[in-house]
Amino acid sequence: MSNSILHIGAAVVAFGLTALLGKLLIPFLHKLHFGQTIREIGPSWHKGKQGTPTMGGLMFILGIVLTMCAAIPILYRTGATETQLMQIKLFAGLGMAVAFGVIGFMDDYIGVVKKRNLGLTEGQKLVLQFAVAAAYLGSLAMAGANTATTIPFVGRIDLGFWYYILAAILIVGLVNAVNFTDGIDGLNSTVTFFVFLALGLCAGAQSMTGLSLLGTASAAACIGFLVWNFHPAKVFMGDTGSLFLGGMVAALAFGIDMPVLLLPLGLVYWMEILSVVLQVTYFKATHGKRLFKMSPIHHHFEMCGWSEVKICAVFGIVTLLGGVLSVLCVLFG
C-alpha cells in the first residue's frame, strides 16, 4: 500500500469516526447533563449556548487515537523504515496529547459537577501541564534526541540545557494559547485544521511518514468535529479537546524538530493569549480601563459586530497563510 493511499485512508477513517461518534456521544452528554456553563462576563448573546454539551473533544481524541492504532501497524508492514527516535517521537507525542486531554477532562468534569465555569485551579493545571511536558521531553532525551533545533534558512542551533527549559515553557504556553482560542463555534477546529494540515505536509516533506500520517488524521478529525461544532454548535470541545489539540500541535512541531514554525503557524493562538495578558495588565495598570472590548481577541471582534462565522473565516485564512509560509520554509529553507 502506497503512502498516499494510507494517508487518504487515515483521513477518511478519522473524519468518519469523529463525525459518527458525535451521533452517539452528544445524546449521551445530554443525558448526563454535561452542559456548558456560560460565563457571566461573556457576550450576552452567548447565553443561548447555556447547556450545550461540552467535553465533545472526546470525539476527535478517540477518532485520532483509533485511526492511528489501525494505521501504524499497516505503515510498518508496508516496509516503511523510521529510526527508533522517530518512532518514539510519534508515540510519545500522541501520548503527550492524550495526557493533556486527560487534564482538560478533569477540568471539565469538575466544572460540570459544580455547575460553574471553573474547574481545576490555575496552579493545579500548570503543575500538571509542566509535568506532562517534562515527561515528553524526557522520553525524547532517553531515546537519543539532542538539544539542537532547526531554524529554516539558518540551520541547526544547539541550545544545550536551555533547550529543555525553553521547550517546556513553549509547550505549556502553546497548549494554553490553543485553549484560549476555543470560545466561539467552530473557531478552534477551523484554525487547528490548517495547523495540522501544514505540519503534516512539513513532516511528509522530510520523509517523516508516521508524523505526517498523524497530522493528516488530526486534520481530518477536526473537520469531522466541525460537522457538530460549526455555528450553531451542537457540542463544544471543552478543555478536554482544546488541551489535547494544543498537545498534538506541540507534538508535531517538536516531532519534525522545528518548533520555530509555531510562530507563523500559531499566529492566531499567540494573538489570543497575548490579548488576555495585555488586557489584564492594562486593566490593573489603569485601575479598570480596558485595552480591548473583551478578551480573548475573538470576543473583541464579536463585540465589534463580527459574526462567529466571519471570525472563523478570517482567523482560518490567517492560519492558512501561516501554513503556506511554514511549508515553503521547510521546502526551501
Side-chain angles (χ1 to χ4, degrees):
M1 181 183 294
S2 68
N3 284 340
S4 58
I5 295 176
L6 185 57
H7 277 70
I8 293 171
V12 171
V13 172
F15 168 83
L17 279 175
T18 303
L20 179 61
L21 283 168
K23 191 74 173 177
L24 303 173
L25 185 62
I26 294 173
F28 181 68
L29 293 174
H30 269 298
K31 186 177 180 179
L32 294 178
H33 303 290
F34 280 10
Q36 179 71 43
T37 300
I38 303 301
R39 293 187 303 167
E40 299 266 342
I41 60 173
S44 58
W45 52 89
H46 279 205
K47 291 299 181 182
K49 301 173 186 279
Q50 184 83 18
T52 301
T54 188
M55 297 157 66
L58 290 169
M59 293 157 52
F60 54 72
I61 293 175
L62 289 170
I64 293 169
V65 171
L66 291 175
T67 298
M68 293 306 296
C69 285
I72 290 173
I74 296 174
L75 173 66
Y76 292 137
R77 275 204 298 268
T78 59
T81 56
E82 290 192 331
T83 64
Q84 183 181 26
L85 177 58
M86 287 309 306
Q87 294 178 26
I88 293 295
K89 284 184 174 182
L90 175 60
F91 292 113
L94 186 57
M96 175 174 67
V98 170
F100 277 121
V102 170
I103 296 172
F105 180 85
M106 293 166 58
D107 193 33
D108 284 334
Y109 185 79
I110 293 171
V112 167
V113 169
K114 293 184 177 181
K115 298 299 180 185
R116 57 191 176 90
N117 202 30
L118 296 171
L120 297 170
T121 67
E122 292 302 319
Q124 289 171 332
K125 282 190 280 191
L126 284 174
V127 168
L128 290 171
Q129 289 170 355
F130 272 109
V132 170
Y136 169 72
L137 294 170
S139 67
L140 297 191
M142 288 188 290
N146 56 40
T147 54
T149 185
T150 301
I151 299 179
F153 304 106
V154 175
R156 299 279 292 176
I157 295 181
D158 194 339
L159 300 174
F161 176 75
W162 284 103
Y163 173 85
Y164 298 106
I165 304 297
L166 295 173
I169 293 173
L170 178 57
I171 291 171
V172 173
L174 173 71
V175 167
N176 285 286
V178 175
N179 187 34
F180 278 123
T181 308
D182 184 39
I184 61 176
D185 299 354
L187 179 60
N188 210 353
S189 310
T190 301
V191 168
T192 307
F193 162 75
F194 289 114
V195 173
F196 283 147
L197 189 62
L199 287 172
L201 289 172
C202 290
Q206 299 179 83
S207 300
M208 299 177 179
T209 311
L211 289 172
S212 178
L213 198 61
L214 182 58
T216 299
S218 299
C222 283
I223 299 299
F225 184 70
L226 271 172
V227 170
W228 303 102
N229 185 238
F230 192 76
H231 183 74
K234 297 177 179 63
V235 68
F236 299 138
M237 67 174 66
D239 283 3
T240 303
S242 59
L243 295 187
F244 171 86
L245 291 181
M248 186 62 77
V249 171
L252 288 167
F254 278 87
I256 64 174
D257 204 19
M258 288 190 183
V260 69
L261 293 182
L262 292 173
L263 293 176
L265 260 181
L267 182 59
V268 168
Y269 301 146
W270 304 126
M271 283 170 39
E272 295 280 9
I273 195 169
L274 184 60
S275 69
V276 174
V277 173
L278 290 175
Q279 182 86 319
V280 172
T281 303
Y282 188 78
F283 186 86
K284 291 180 178 179
T286 59
H287 305 288
K289 293 183 179 180
R290 298 179 185 275
L291 187 61
F292 304 103
K293 291 184 178 182
M294 188 175 176
S295 66
I297 194 70
H298 58 260
H299 286 318
H300 171 81
F301 288 110
E302 262 196 297
M303 303 291 276
C304 290
W306 287 26
S307 70
E308 295 186 49
V309 174
K310 180 178 179 179
I311 295 170
C312 289
V314 173
F315 283 29
I317 291 171
V318 170
T319 307
L320 172 60
L321 295 175
V324 171
L325 177 61
S326 299
V327 173
L328 290 176
C329 285
V330 170
L331 290 174
F332 301 107

